[in-house]
Amino acid sequence: MLGVGKRLLTAAAVTAVTGSLLAAAPASAATAGTIDWQPCADAPGVDCGTVTVPIDYGHPDRGTTNVALARRKATDPQARIGAVLMDPGGPGGSGTGEVKAGWSLSADVTKRFDTVGFDPRGVGGSTQIKCGLDEVIADHPVVPANQAEFEQLAQYNRKVGESCSRLTGPLASFADTKTVARDMDAIRAALGEKKLTYYGVSYGTLMGQQYAELFPDKVRALVLDSNMDHSQQGAWDFLLSETKSVQAEFGEFAAWCGRTPSCALHGQDVSKVTRALQDKAARGELKEPQSGEVITPLTLAGFFQGSFYGPDWNRLATELKLLSDGTPSAASAKLRDETPVNTVFQSVFCDDWRLPVHNYAELETYRRAVAAFAPDVKVNSLGWQAVTGCIGWPEKASNPQHPLQVHGAPPLLVLSSKFDPATPYAWSQTVARQSGNTLLTYDGWGHGAYFKKSDCVTKATDDYLITGKLPARGTHCAAVEPDAPQARIAGPKPPTAIGF
């Protein structure tokens, strides 16, 4: 499928997605100094600052890079406990941008903690990883149809990676999450915090996991919401678990339509409608009614992915009906080409994960096999982009997968929705089991359990952050119906670029 690279790189964005520990103790961040906070020019009531960290902690004399911060002060200075560091995921999510826009935890937490967001190295207000625009937007096969197209995809990824190194310099080779965890300790020290309080969601959980591995004695409280499982050992396991999670939420969506009269597909066989659209897309016959542009199977998969984040099932049902009926709508014309190309994802993800796919035959086997496990959604578009984005990438993973090993840290709190389209529930179960920590389950849907307006989840998490008290092991919090007013999307949203 040539000629769709640029479109699908952004269309899939509608979805929203370490090696062994060093024998010696990690380098201390105590010399990080203080932060020169100044009012943010673009966000009243928010302070901006930076910390300067080594590009390569193994050779700190080889240059530095800046990490951007944004802070909202605790609303009750007399009750202040400290600062909570926050990351919204990605790779590529901007913590400073989210905090400036008002992203925060509950009022009970913000009363007692400064809220500090950070842009991981390479991202946003931090020293950026820059890649060649011509290389990034070049057409390329996203779903190769043969070995020649597989090799073209590998060549595309290789050229993008080479442009990142050429335009950015050494930083492009030191964007892995273990290094980001070291930056987090530098931030902790610069904030004047003896121990770290942290909330990370989605890819931000990997940052928290690796911080706990590297600096267990510097942990105060870590909330890991919607977890990456960094012990997934191969492309097949990764892609299958991702796809099965989306198919599971599709089943929940179909059941919701069955019991909800306001669903645009109420009274219809949702699976039958969806599979007919999938078949039409596979034949190249599915088009956006308004623009006439062809909708590919991967683009359709990306639309499911994005609609499942909130979840926004009403919108999904309406759009599926419009596509099925061939009726134009303003929303249907926005399934693609809305978002900027994210040039950070591969530099981070391909340094964190070793998921080799050796040839077209292997990739096609994976594609067909996951479709058999997920007959409605066919594939997790985020998982597909992650796996195929590293085919041919010039940098080898310096921080590859391993089972989580946390020794000597206080208890961590692991959160997850039971039906999560981006980070499968099974991943959080694995993280809790490997680390020996408590998993709090939200028995509902979507990505980012803390932000689903569940009083049960909010209170348990807040109690942990404020007092260190964990919920009882095995605690489940009841689901909040997606069409209920309190279930509005308040937390992580489908990323503006490919990301978890």
Side-chain angles (χ1 to χ4, degrees), residues 212-225:
E213 288 186 313
L214 289 170
F215 304 100
D217 60 329
K218 299 295 177 59
V219 171
R220 179 188 170 274
L222 299 185
V223 176
L224 308 175
D225 186 352

Side-chain angles (χ1 to χ4, degrees), residues 101-113:
W103 187 51
S104 70
L105 302 176
S106 75
D108 284 343
V109 173
T110 57
K111 173 182 178 180
R112 297 171 172 86
F113 290 90

Side-chain angles (χ1 to χ4, degrees), residues 34-40 46-51 68-73 80 83 85 96 114-117 187 190-192:
T34 58
I35 301 165
D36 181 20
W37 293 110
Q38 298 292 331
C40 299
V46 182
D47 298 323
C48 288
T50 61
V51 295
L69 308 172
R71 176 187 68 176
R72 287 184 184 271
K73 291 183 179 180
R80 185 181 181 277
L85 187 66
T96 65
D114 298 343
T115 300
V116 180
I187 295 170
L191 288 171

Side-chain angles (χ1 to χ4, degrees), residues 12 169 230 233 264 287 310 330 344:
H230 204 226
Q233 283 304 306
K287 298 181 180 180
V344 177

Side-chain angles (χ1 to χ4, degrees), residues 9 23 25 29 50 65 77 94 96 142 147 206 223 242 257 264 284 286 302 401 436:
L9 196 64
T50 61
T65 187
S94 169
T96 65
V142 178
Q147 181 61 26
L206 188 56
V223 176
E242 283 273 75
C257 269
L286 184 63
Q401 307 94 291

Side-chain angles (χ1 to χ4, degrees), residues 5-273:
K6 178 182 177 182
R7 292 201 308 275
L8 281 179
L9 196 64
T10 54
V14 177
T15 64
V17 234
T18 71
S20 300
L21 294 176
L22 298 178
S28 172
T31 58
T34 58
I35 301 165
D36 181 20
W37 293 110
Q38 298 292 331
C40 299
D42 55 348
V46 182
D47 298 323
C48 288
T50 61
V51 295
T52 301
V53 296
I55 291 176
D56 177 1
Y57 280 87
H59 299 89
D61 58 328
R62 294 183 180 178
T64 59
T65 187
N66 291 326
V67 176
L69 308 172
R71 176 187 68 176
R72 287 184 184 271
K73 291 183 179 180
T75 59
D76 184 351
Q78 299 302 316
R80 185 181 181 277
I81 296 172
V84 56
L85 187 66
M86 296 177 62
D87 183 86
S94 169
T96 65
E98 294 289 348
V99 168
K100 289 177 184 179
W103 187 51
S104 70
L105 302 176
S106 75
D108 284 343
V109 173
T110 57
K111 173 182 178 180
R112 297 171 172 86
F113 290 90
D114 298 343
T115 300
V116 180
F118 74 107
D119 291 350
R121 54 174 53 210
V123 176
S126 298
T127 307
Q128 293 185 356
I129 291 176
K130 297 180 180 180
C131 306
L133 179 61
D134 288 344
E135 288 83 357
V136 170
I137 67 174
D139 284 344
H140 61 283
V142 178
V143 183
N146 49 50
Q147 181 61 26
E149 290 193 3
F150 180 90
E151 292 170 0
Q152 290 170 15
L153 172 60
Q155 183 181 41
Y156 165 82
N157 288 333
R158 182 166 54 254
K159 287 183 176 180
V160 170
E162 290 170 349
S163 77
C164 300
S165 296
R166 182 177 69 251
L167 295 174
T168 304
L171 177 61
S173 300
F174 291 94
D176 64 282
T177 297
K178 181 183 282 189
T179 302
V180 171
R182 295 176 184 275
D183 294 344
M184 289 166 60
D185 201 56
I187 295 170
R188 174 200 61 75
L191 288 171
E193 299 288 310
K194 293 182 178 180
K195 296 192 175 185
L196 180 70
T197 303
Y198 176 72
Y199 171 88
V201 61
S202 201
Y203 213 80
T205 63
L206 188 56
M207 301 173 193
Q209 293 169 26
Q210 299 207 320
Y211 185 90
E213 288 186 313
L214 289 170
F215 304 100
D217 60 329
K218 299 295 177 59
V219 171
R220 179 188 170 274
L222 299 185
V223 176
L224 308 175
D225 186 352
S226 307
N227 280 261
M228 300 298 296
D229 173 11
H230 204 226
S231 66
Q232 293 280 312
Q233 283 304 306
W236 166 248
D237 290 339
F238 186 92
L239 189 57
L240 177 62
S241 60
E242 283 273 75
T243 301
K244 288 172 71 174
S245 72
V246 179
Q247 178 65 30
E249 185 160 349
F250 179 89
E252 295 292 302
F253 160 66
W256 172 81
C257 269
R259 68 177 182 265
T260 307
S262 62
C263 173
L265 296 175
H266 181 67
Q268 298 187 49
D269 185 330
V270 178
S271 181
K272 183 177 180 180
V273 171

Side-chain angles (χ1 to χ4, degrees), residues 324-342:
S324 183
D325 294 345
T327 305
S329 81
S332 68
K334 297 179 181 179
L335 292 179
R336 56 164 65 75
D337 291 333
E338 288 189 321
T339 59
V341 174
N342 180 350

